[in-house]
Coordinates of all heavy atoms in Angstrom, one line a residue:
P1 N 0.8 -1.2 0.0 CA 0.0 0.0 0.0 C 0.9 1.3 0.0 O 2.0 1.2 0.4 CB -0.8 -0.1 1.3 CG 0.1 -1.0 2.2 CD 0.8 -1.9 1.2
L2 N 0.3 2.3 -0.5 CA 1.0 3.6 -0.4 C 0.7 4.2 0.9 O -0.4 4.3 1.4 CB 0.4 4.5 -1.6 CG 0.7 4.0 -3.0 CD1 0.0 4.9 -4.0 CD2 2.2 4.0 -3.3
L3 N 1.7 4.8 1.5 CA 1.6 5.5 2.7 C 1.8 7.0 2.5 O 2.6 7.3 1.7 CB 2.5 5.0 3.8 CG 2.4 3.5 4.2 CD1 3.5 3.1 5.2 CD2 1.0 3.2 4.7
A4 N 1.1 7.8 3.2 CA 1.3 9.2 3.1 C 2.7 9.6 3.6 O 3.4 8.8 4.3 CB 0.3 10.0 3.9
K5 N 3.1 10.8 3.3 CA 4.4 11.3 3.7 C 4.6 11.1 5.2 O 3.7 11.3 6.0 CB 4.5 12.8 3.4 CG 5.9 13.4 3.7 CD 5.9 14.8 3.3 CE 7.3 15.4 3.6 NZ 7.4 16.8 3.3
N6 N 5.8 10.6 5.6 CA 6.2 10.3 7.0 C 5.4 9.2 7.6 O 5.3 9.0 8.8 CB 6.0 11.6 7.9 CG 6.9 12.7 7.5 OD1 8.0 12.4 6.9 ND2 6.5 13.9 7.7
G7 N 4.7 8.4 6.8 CA 4.0 7.2 7.3 C 2.7 7.6 8.0 O 2.1 6.7 8.7
A8 N 2.2 8.8 7.8 CA 0.9 9.2 8.4 C -0.2 8.4 7.8 O -0.1 7.8 6.7 CB 0.7 10.7 8.3
N9 N -1.3 8.4 8.5 CA -2.5 7.7 8.1 C -2.9 8.1 6.7 O -3.1 9.3 6.4 CB -3.7 7.9 9.0 CG -4.9 7.1 8.7 OD1 -5.3 7.0 7.5 ND2 -5.5 6.6 9.7
S10 N -2.9 7.2 5.7 CA -3.1 7.6 4.3 C -4.6 7.8 4.0 O -5.0 8.4 3.0 CB -2.5 6.5 3.4 OG -3.2 5.3 3.6
N11 N -5.5 7.2 4.8 CA -6.9 7.2 4.6 C -7.3 6.7 3.2 O -8.4 6.8 2.7 CB -7.5 8.6 4.8 CG -7.4 9.0 6.2 OD1 -7.7 8.3 7.1 ND2 -7.1 10.3 6.4
I12 N -6.4 6.1 2.5 CA -6.6 5.5 1.2 C -7.2 4.1 1.3 O -8.1 3.7 0.6 CB -5.4 5.4 0.3 CG1 -4.9 6.8 0.0 CG2 -5.6 4.6 -1.0 CD1 -3.5 6.9 -0.6
L13 N -6.7 3.4 2.3 CA -7.1 2.0 2.6 C -7.9 1.9 3.9 O -7.7 2.6 4.8 CB -5.9 1.1 2.6 CG -5.0 1.1 1.4 CD1 -3.7 0.4 1.7 CD2 -5.7 0.5 0.2
E14 N -8.8 0.9 3.9 CA -9.6 0.6 5.1 C -8.7 0.0 6.2 O -7.6 -0.5 6.0 CB -10.7 -0.4 4.8 CG -11.7 0.1 3.8 CD -12.7 -1.0 3.4 OE1 -13.0 -1.9 4.2 OE2 -13.3 -0.9 2.3
N15 N -9.2 0.1 7.4 CA -8.5 -0.5 8.6 C -8.6 -2.0 8.4 O -9.5 -2.6 7.9 CB -9.2 -0.1 9.9 CG -9.1 1.4 10.2 OD1 -8.3 2.1 9.6 ND2 -9.9 1.8 11.1
N16 N -7.6 -2.7 9.0 CA -7.5 -4.1 9.1 C -7.8 -4.9 7.8 O -8.6 -5.8 7.8 CB -8.6 -4.6 10.2 CG -8.4 -3.8 11.5 OD1 -7.2 -3.6 11.9 ND2 -9.4 -3.3 12.1
I17 N -7.1 -4.5 6.8 CA -7.3 -5.2 5.5 C -6.2 -6.2 5.1 O -6.4 -7.0 4.2 CB -7.5 -4.2 4.4 CG1 -6.3 -3.3 4.2 CG2 -8.7 -3.3 4.6 CD1 -6.2 -2.5 2.9
A18 N -5.1 -6.1 5.7 CA -3.9 -6.9 5.3 C -3.7 -8.1 6.2 O -3.7 -8.0 7.4 CB -2.7 -6.1 5.3
D19 N -3.5 -9.3 5.5 CA -3.1 -10.5 6.3 C -1.6 -10.5 6.6 O -1.2 -10.9 7.6 CB -3.4 -11.7 5.4 CG -4.9 -12.0 5.2 OD1 -5.6 -11.9 6.2 OD2 -5.3 -12.2 4.1
I20 N -0.8 -10.0 5.6 CA 0.6 -9.9 5.7 C 1.1 -8.6 5.2 O 0.6 -8.1 4.1 CB 1.3 -11.0 4.9 CG1 0.8 -12.4 5.4 CG2 2.8 -10.9 5.0 CD1 1.3 -13.5 4.5
I21 N 2.0 -7.9 5.9 CA 2.6 -6.7 5.3 C 4.1 -7.0 5.3 O 4.7 -7.4 6.3 CB 2.3 -5.5 6.2 CG1 0.8 -5.1 6.2 CG2 3.2 -4.3 5.7 CD1 0.5 -4.0 7.1
L22 N 4.7 -6.8 4.1 CA 6.1 -6.9 4.0 C 6.8 -5.5 3.9 O 6.4 -4.7 3.1 CB 6.5 -7.6 2.7 CG 5.9 -9.0 2.5 CD1 6.2 -9.6 1.1 CD2 6.3 -10.0 3.6
A23 N 7.6 -5.2 4.9 CA 8.2 -3.9 5.0 C 9.7 -4.1 4.7 O 10.5 -4.4 5.6 CB 8.0 -3.2 6.3
M24 N 10.1 -4.1 3.5 CA 11.5 -4.4 3.1 C 12.3 -3.1 3.0 O 12.0 -2.2 2.2 CB 11.5 -5.1 1.7 CG 10.6 -6.3 1.7 SD 11.2 -7.5 2.9 CE 10.3 -8.9 2.5
D25 N 13.2 -2.9 3.9 CA 14.1 -1.7 4.0 C 13.3 -0.4 4.0 O 13.7 0.5 3.3 CB 15.1 -1.8 2.8 CG 16.0 -2.9 2.9 OD1 16.4 -3.3 4.0 OD2 16.4 -3.5 1.8
M26 N 12.3 -0.4 4.8 CA 11.4 0.8 4.8 C 11.7 1.7 6.0 O 11.4 2.9 6.0 CB 10.0 0.4 4.7 CG 9.6 -0.3 3.4 SD 7.9 -0.9 3.4 CE 7.1 0.7 3.1
F27 N 12.1 1.1 7.2 CA 12.3 1.9 8.4 C 13.2 3.1 8.2 O 13.0 4.2 8.7 CB 12.8 1.1 9.5 CG 11.7 0.6 10.5 CD1 11.5 -0.7 10.7 CD2 10.8 1.5 11.1 CE1 10.5 -1.1 11.6 CE2 9.9 1.1 11.9 CZ 9.7 -0.2 12.2
Q28 N 14.3 2.9 7.5 CA 15.3 4.0 7.3 C 14.7 5.1 6.4 O 15.2 6.2 6.4 CB 16.6 3.4 6.7 CG 16.6 3.1 5.3 CD 16.1 1.7 4.9 OE1 15.6 1.0 5.8 NE2 16.1 1.4 3.7
Q29 N 13.7 4.8 5.6 CA 13.1 5.8 4.8 C 12.1 6.7 5.5 O 11.8 7.8 5.1 CB 12.4 5.1 3.5 CG 13.3 4.4 2.6 CD 14.4 5.3 2.0 OE1 14.1 6.4 1.6 NE2 15.6 4.7 1.8
A30 N 11.4 6.1 6.5 CA 10.4 6.9 7.2 C 11.0 7.9 8.1 O 11.9 7.6 8.9 CB 9.5 5.9 8.1
Q31 N 10.6 9.2 7.9 CA 11.2 10.2 8.7 C 10.8 10.1 10.2 O 11.5 10.4 11.1 CB 10.8 11.6 8.2 CG 11.5 11.9 6.8 CD 11.0 13.2 6.2 OE1 10.2 13.9 6.8 NE2 11.6 13.5 5.1
E32 N 9.5 9.7 10.4 CA 9.0 9.5 11.7 C 8.6 8.1 11.9 O 7.7 7.6 11.2 CB 7.8 10.5 12.0 CG 8.3 11.9 11.9 CD 7.2 12.9 12.5 OE1 6.5 12.5 13.4 OE2 7.2 14.0 11.9
K33 N 9.3 7.4 12.7 CA 9.2 5.9 12.8 C 7.9 5.5 13.5 O 7.2 4.5 13.0 CB 10.4 5.3 13.6 CG 11.7 5.7 13.1 CD 12.0 5.6 11.7 CE 13.4 5.9 11.3 NZ 13.7 6.5 10.1
N34 N 7.5 6.1 14.6 CA 6.2 5.7 15.3 C 5.0 5.8 14.4 O 4.2 4.9 14.3 CB 6.1 6.3 16.6 CG 6.8 5.6 17.7 OD1 7.3 4.5 17.5 ND2 7.0 6.3 18.8
P35 N 4.8 7.0 13.7 CA 3.6 7.0 12.9 C 3.6 6.0 11.8 O 2.6 5.4 11.4 CB 3.7 8.4 12.3 CG 4.4 9.2 13.3 CD 5.4 8.3 13.9
F36 N 4.8 5.7 11.3 CA 4.9 4.6 10.2 C 4.5 3.3 10.8 O 3.7 2.6 10.2 CB 6.4 4.6 9.8 CG 6.7 3.4 8.8 CD1 6.2 3.5 7.5 CD2 7.4 2.3 9.2 CE1 6.5 2.4 6.6 CE2 7.7 1.3 8.4 CZ 7.2 1.4 7.1
S37 N 5.0 2.9 12.0 CA 4.6 1.7 12.6 C 3.1 1.6 12.9 O 2.5 0.6 12.8 CB 5.4 1.5 13.9 OG 6.8 1.3 13.7
Q38 N 2.6 2.7 13.4 CA 1.2 2.8 13.7 C 0.3 2.6 12.5 O -0.8 2.0 12.5 CB 0.9 4.0 14.5 CG 1.5 4.0 15.9 CD 1.5 5.3 16.6 OE1 1.0 6.3 16.1 NE2 2.0 5.3 17.8
E39 N 0.7 3.2 11.4 CA 0.0 3.1 10.1 C 0.0 1.6 9.6 O -1.1 1.1 9.2 CB 0.5 4.0 9.1 CG -0.2 3.9 7.7 CD -1.6 4.3 7.7 OE1 -2.2 4.6 8.7 OE2 -2.2 4.2 6.5
L40 N 1.1 1.0 9.7 CA 1.1 -0.5 9.4 C 0.2 -1.3 10.3 O -0.5 -2.2 9.8 CB 2.6 -1.0 9.4 CG 3.6 -0.4 8.5 CD1 4.9 -1.0 8.7 CD2 3.1 -0.6 7.0
H41 N 0.2 -0.9 11.6 CA -0.7 -1.6 12.5 C -2.1 -1.4 12.2 O -3.0 -2.3 12.3 CB -0.4 -1.1 13.9 CG -1.1 -1.8 15.0 ND1 -2.3 -1.3 15.5 CD2 -0.8 -2.9 15.7 CE1 -2.8 -2.1 16.4 NE2 -1.9 -3.1 16.6
R42 N -2.5 -0.2 11.8 CA -3.9 0.1 11.4 C -4.3 -0.8 10.2 O -5.5 -1.2 10.1 CB -4.0 1.6 11.0 CG -5.4 2.0 10.6 CD -5.4 3.5 10.1 NE -4.9 3.6 8.7 CZ -5.6 3.3 7.6 NH1 -6.8 2.8 7.7 NH2 -5.0 3.5 6.4
L43 N -3.4 -1.1 9.3 CA -3.8 -1.8 8.1 C -3.8 -3.3 8.3 O -4.5 -4.0 7.6 CB -2.8 -1.5 7.0 CG -2.7 -0.1 6.5 CD1 -1.5 0.1 5.6 CD2 -4.0 0.3 5.9
I44 N -3.1 -3.9 9.3 CA -3.0 -5.3 9.5 C -4.3 -5.9 10.2 O -4.9 -5.2 11.1 CB -1.7 -5.7 10.3 CG1 -1.3 -7.1 10.1 CG2 -1.9 -5.4 11.8 CD1 -0.6 -7.4 8.8
K45 N -4.7 -7.1 9.8 CA -5.7 -7.8 10.5 C -5.2 -8.3 11.9 O -4.0 -8.5 12.0 CB -6.2 -9.0 9.7 CG -6.9 -8.6 8.4 CD -7.4 -9.8 7.7 CE -8.1 -9.4 6.4 NZ -8.5 -10.6 5.6
A46 N -6.1 -8.6 12.8 CA -5.7 -9.0 14.2 C -4.9 -10.3 14.1 O -4.0 -10.4 15.0 CB -6.9 -9.2 15.0
D47 N -5.1 -11.1 13.2 CA -4.4 -12.4 13.1 C -3.3 -12.3 12.0 O -2.7 -13.4 11.6 CB -5.3 -13.6 12.9 CG -6.1 -13.5 11.6 OD1 -6.1 -12.4 10.9 OD2 -6.7 -14.5 11.2
G48 N -3.0 -11.2 11.5 CA -2.0 -11.0 10.5 C -0.6 -10.8 11.1 O -0.4 -10.9 12.3
F49 N 0.4 -10.6 10.2 CA 1.7 -10.4 10.7 C 2.5 -9.4 9.7 O 2.1 -9.3 8.6 CB 2.5 -11.7 10.9 CG 2.9 -12.4 9.7 CD1 4.1 -12.2 9.0 CD2 2.1 -13.5 9.2 CE1 4.5 -12.9 7.9 CE2 2.4 -14.2 8.1 CZ 3.6 -13.9 7.4
L50 N 3.5 -8.8 10.3 CA 4.4 -7.9 9.6 C 5.7 -8.5 9.5 O 6.3 -9.0 10.5 CB 4.4 -6.6 10.4 CG 5.5 -5.6 10.1 CD1 5.3 -5.0 8.7 CD2 5.5 -4.5 11.1
L51 N 6.3 -8.5 8.4 CA 7.7 -9.0 8.2 C 8.5 -7.8 7.8 O 8.3 -7.1 6.8 CB 7.8 -10.1 7.1 CG 9.1 -10.7 6.9 CD1 9.6 -11.5 8.1 CD2 9.2 -11.6 5.6
I52 N 9.5 -7.5 8.7 CA 10.4 -6.3 8.5 C 11.7 -6.8 8.2 O 12.4 -7.6 8.9 CB 10.4 -5.5 9.8 CG1 9.1 -4.9 10.1 CG2 11.5 -4.4 9.7 CD1 9.0 -4.1 11.4
K53 N 12.2 -6.4 7.0 CA 13.6 -6.7 6.6 C 14.4 -5.5 6.8 O 14.1 -4.4 6.5 CB 13.6 -7.1 5.1 CG 14.9 -7.5 4.6 CD 14.8 -8.1 3.2 CE 16.2 -8.7 2.7 NZ 16.7 -9.8 3.5
S54 N 15.6 -5.8 7.5 CA 16.4 -4.7 7.9 C 17.8 -4.8 7.4 O 18.7 -5.2 8.1 CB 16.4 -4.7 9.5 OG 17.2 -3.7 10.0
D55 N 18.0 -4.4 6.2 CA 19.4 -4.4 5.6 C 20.1 -3.1 5.8 O 21.4 -3.1 5.9 CB 19.3 -4.7 4.1 CG 19.0 -6.2 3.9 OD1 19.3 -7.0 4.7 OD2 18.5 -6.5 2.8
H56 N 19.4 -2.0 5.9 CA 20.1 -0.7 6.0 C 20.2 -0.1 7.4 O 20.7 1.0 7.5 CB 19.4 0.3 5.0 CG 19.7 -0.1 3.6 ND1 18.8 -0.9 2.9 CD2 20.7 0.1 2.7 CE1 19.2 -1.1 1.7 NE2 20.4 -0.5 1.6
I57 N 19.6 -0.7 8.3 CA 19.8 -0.3 9.7 C 20.1 -1.6 10.5 O 19.7 -2.7 10.0 CB 18.6 0.4 10.4 CG1 17.3 -0.4 10.4 CG2 18.3 1.7 9.7 CD1 16.2 0.2 11.1
S58 N 20.7 -1.5 11.6 CA 21.1 -2.7 12.4 C 19.8 -3.4 12.9 O 18.8 -2.7 13.1 CB 22.0 -2.4 13.5 OG 21.3 -1.6 14.5
L59 N 19.9 -4.7 13.1 CA 18.8 -5.4 13.7 C 18.5 -4.9 15.1 O 17.3 -4.8 15.5 CB 19.1 -6.9 13.8 CG 18.8 -7.8 12.6 CD1 19.2 -9.2 12.8 CD2 17.3 -7.7 12.2
E60 N 19.5 -4.5 15.8 CA 19.3 -3.9 17.1 C 18.5 -2.6 17.1 O 17.5 -2.4 17.8 CB 20.7 -3.6 17.8 CG 20.5 -3.1 19.2 CD 21.9 -2.8 19.8 OE1 22.8 -3.7 19.7 OE2 22.1 -1.8 20.4
N61 N 18.8 -1.7 16.1 CA 18.0 -0.5 15.9 C 16.6 -0.8 15.5 O 15.6 -0.2 15.9 CB 18.7 0.5 15.0 CG 19.8 1.2 15.6 OD1 20.0 1.2 16.8 ND2 20.7 1.7 14.8
A62 N 16.5 -1.8 14.6 CA 15.1 -2.2 14.1 C 14.3 -2.7 15.2 O 13.1 -2.4 15.4 CB 15.2 -3.2 13.0
R63 N 14.9 -3.6 16.1 CA 14.2 -4.1 17.2 C 13.7 -3.0 18.1 O 12.6 -3.0 18.6 CB 15.1 -5.0 18.0 CG 14.6 -5.5 19.4 CD 15.6 -6.3 20.1 NE 15.6 -7.7 19.7 CZ 14.8 -8.6 20.1 NH1 13.8 -8.3 20.9 NH2 14.8 -9.8 19.6
K64 N 14.6 -2.0 18.4 CA 14.3 -0.9 19.3 C 13.1 -0.1 18.7 O 12.1 0.2 19.4 CB 15.5 0.0 19.4 CG 15.2 1.2 20.3 CD 16.5 2.1 20.4 CE 16.2 3.3 21.2 NZ 17.3 4.3 21.1
L65 N 13.1 0.2 17.4 CA 12.0 0.9 16.8 C 10.7 0.1 16.8 O 9.6 0.7 17.1 CB 12.3 1.2 15.3 CG 13.5 2.2 15.1 CD1 13.9 2.2 13.6 CD2 13.1 3.6 15.6
I66 N 10.7 -1.2 16.6 CA 9.5 -2.0 16.7 C 8.9 -2.0 18.1 O 7.8 -1.7 18.2 CB 9.9 -3.5 16.2 CG1 10.3 -3.5 14.8 CG2 8.7 -4.4 16.5 CD1 11.0 -4.8 14.3
L67 N 9.8 -2.2 19.1 CA 9.3 -2.3 20.4 C 8.8 -0.9 21.0 O 7.8 -0.8 21.7 CB 10.3 -2.9 21.3 CG 10.7 -4.4 21.0 CD1 11.8 -4.9 21.9 CD2 9.5 -5.3 21.0
E68 N 9.5 0.1 20.6 CA 9.1 1.5 21.0 C 7.8 1.9 20.4 O 7.2 2.8 21.0 CB 10.2 2.5 20.7 CG 11.4 2.4 21.6 CD 12.5 3.4 21.2 OE1 12.4 4.1 20.2 OE2 13.5 3.5 22.0
S69 N 7.4 1.3 19.3 CA 6.1 1.8 18.7 C 5.0 1.4 19.6 O 3.9 2.1 19.5 CB 6.0 1.1 17.3 OG 5.7 -0.3 17.5
G70 N 5.1 0.4 20.4 CA 4.0 0.0 21.3 C 2.9 -0.7 20.7 O 1.9 -1.0 21.3
V71 N 3.0 -1.0 19.4 CA 1.9 -1.7 18.7 C 2.2 -3.0 18.1 O 1.4 -3.7 17.5 CB 1.3 -0.8 17.6 CG1 0.6 0.5 18.2 CG2 2.3 -0.4 16.6
W72 N 3.5 -3.4 18.2 CA 4.0 -4.7 17.6 C 4.7 -5.5 18.7 O 5.4 -5.0 19.5 CB 4.9 -4.4 16.5 CG 4.3 -3.8 15.3 CD1 4.4 -2.4 15.0 CD2 3.4 -4.3 14.4 NE1 3.7 -2.2 13.9 CE2 3.0 -3.3 13.5 CE3 2.9 -5.6 14.2 CZ2 2.2 -3.5 12.4 CZ3 2.0 -5.8 13.1 CH2 1.7 -4.8 12.3
K73 N 4.6 -6.8 18.6 CA 5.4 -7.8 19.4 C 6.2 -8.6 18.4 O 5.7 -9.1 17.4 CB 4.4 -8.7 20.1 CG 5.2 -9.8 20.9 CD 4.2 -10.8 21.5 CE 5.0 -11.9 22.1 NZ 4.1 -13.0 22.6
I74 N 7.5 -8.7 18.7 CA 8.4 -9.5 17.8 C 8.1 -11.0 18.1 O 8.3 -11.4 19.3 CB 9.8 -9.2 18.0 CG1 10.1 -7.7 17.6 CG2 10.7 -10.1 17.2 CD1 11.5 -7.2 17.9
E75 N 7.6 -11.7 17.1 CA 7.3 -13.2 17.3 C 8.5 -14.0 17.0 O 8.7 -15.1 17.6 CB 6.1 -13.5 16.4 CG 5.7 -15.0 16.6 CD 4.4 -15.3 15.8 OE1 4.5 -15.4 14.6 OE2 3.4 -15.4 16.4
C76 N 9.3 -13.6 16.0 CA 10.4 -14.4 15.5 C 11.5 -13.5 14.9 O 11.2 -12.6 14.2 CB 9.8 -15.4 14.4 SG 11.1 -16.5 13.7
E77 N 12.7 -13.8 15.2 CA 13.8 -13.1 14.7 C 14.6 -14.0 13.7 O 15.0 -15.1 14.1 CB 14.8 -12.7 15.8 CG 15.9 -11.8 15.3 CD 16.8 -11.3 16.4 OE1 16.3 -11.2 17.5 OE2 18.0 -11.2 16.2
L78 N 14.8 -13.6 12.5 CA 15.5 -14.3 11.5 C 16.8 -13.6 11.2 O 17.2 -12.6 11.9 CB 14.7 -14.4 10.2 CG 13.3 -15.0 10.4 CD1 12.4 -14.8 9.1 CD2 13.3 -16.4 10.8
S79 N 17.6 -14.0 10.3 CA 18.9 -13.4 10.1 C 18.9 -11.9 9.9 O 19.7 -11.2 10.5 CB 19.7 -14.1 9.0 OG 19.0 -13.9 7.8
T80 N 18.1 -11.4 9.0 CA 18.0 -9.9 8.8 C 16.5 -9.5 8.9 O 16.2 -8.4 8.4 CB 18.5 -9.6 7.4 OG1 17.8 -10.2 6.4 CG2 20.0 -9.9 7.3
D81 N 15.6 -10.3 9.4 CA 14.2 -10.0 9.4 C 13.6 -10.2 10.8 O 14.1 -10.9 11.6 CB 13.5 -10.9 8.5 CG 14.0 -11.0 7.1 OD1 14.7 -10.0 6.7 OD2 13.8 -12.0 6.4
Y82 N 12.5 -9.5 11.0 CA 11.7 -9.7 12.2 C 10.3 -10.0 11.7 O 9.7 -9.3 10.9 CB 11.6 -8.5 13.1 CG 12.8 -8.2 13.9 CD1 13.6 -7.1 13.7 CD2 13.2 -9.1 14.9 CE1 14.8 -6.9 14.4 CE2 14.3 -8.8 15.7 CZ 15.1 -7.7 15.4 OH 16.2 -7.5 16.2
K83 N 9.7 -11.1 12.3 CA 8.3 -11.3 12.1 C 7.5 -10.8 13.3 O 7.8 -11.2 14.4 CB 8.0 -12.8 11.9 CG 6.5 -13.1 11.7 CD 6.3 -14.6 11.6 CE 4.8 -14.9 11.5 NZ 4.6 -16.4 11.5
C84 N 6.6 -9.9 13.1 CA 5.9 -9.2 14.2 C 4.4 -9.4 14.1 O 3.9 -9.5 13.0 CB 6.2 -7.7 14.1 SG 7.9 -7.3 14.1
I85 N 3.8 -9.5 15.3 CA 2.3 -9.6 15.3 C 1.8 -8.4 16.0 O 2.5 -7.8 16.9 CB 1.9 -10.9 16.0 CG1 2.5 -11.0 17.4 CG2 2.3 -12.1 15.2 CD1 2.0 -12.2 18.2
P86 N 0.6 -8.0 15.7 CA 0.0 -6.8 16.3 C -0.4 -7.0 17.7 O -0.9 -8.0 18.1 CB -1.2 -6.5 15.4 CG -1.6 -7.8 14.8 CD -0.3 -8.6 14.7
L87 N -0.2 -5.9 18.5 CA -0.7 -5.9 19.9 C -2.1 -5.3 19.8 O -2.4 -4.5 19.0 CB 0.2 -5.1 20.8 CG 1.6 -5.6 21.0 CD1 2.4 -4.6 21.8 CD2 1.6 -7.0 21.7
N88 N -2.9 -5.7 20.7 CA -4.3 -5.2 20.8 C -5.1 -5.7 19.7 O -5.5 -5.4 18.7 CB -4.4 -3.7 20.9 CG -3.6 -3.1 22.1 OD1 -3.5 -3.7 23.1 ND2 -3.0 -2.0 21.9

């Protein structure tokens, strides 16, 4: 999906429409990380998951951003990826 500038709510897509969201090398592009994480959370279904690939920032920084968002739980850590499930 297309996200508005800085990851703000795009209002283009309905809430809870995605089973899976793939965020490949996107964290480093978002100027504001929490709004970006929250927008992805808005789009995901309660039983869906987010796969974050982190090649351009360290896994440690990606982990910190994910957990600080307050809307994701890391379910599984892979070599350069995190599989996250939505909280709430």
Side-chain angles (χ1 to χ4, degrees):
L2 296 174
L3 299 178
K5 185 177 179 182
N6 296 333
N9 185 319
S10 64
N11 293 321
I12 295 171
L13 301 171
E14 296 177 25
N15 295 344
N16 308 316
I17 61 166
D19 293 312
I20 301 169
I21 295 176
L22 303 175
M24 305 300 188
D25 295 326
M26 296 175 79
F27 261 125
Q28 77 277 1
Q29 298 296 324
Q31 292 177 358
E32 297 191 32
K33 311 305 187 216
N34 276 345
F36 174 73
S37 293
Q38 292 168 358
E39 176 65 355
L40 296 178
H41 185 268
R42 182 186 74 80
L43 297 172
I44 200 80
K45 292 180 180 177
D47 61 347
F49 69 88
L50 167 66
L51 184 64
I52 295 178
K53 184 168 185 65
S54 176
D55 285 336
H56 292 93
I57 62 172
S58 71
L59 274 179
E60 183 177 313
N61 284 343
R63 169 185 280 279
K64 181 180 174 188
L65 293 170
I66 293 163
L67 298 177
E68 284 179 353
S69 74
V71 295
W72 297 103
K73 175 184 174 186
I74 296 173
E75 183 176 71
C76 179
E77 182 177 334
L78 307 169
S79 61
T80 61
D81 308 336
Y82 285 113
K83 180 181 177 185
C84 305
I85 55 174
L87 296 175
N88 302 325

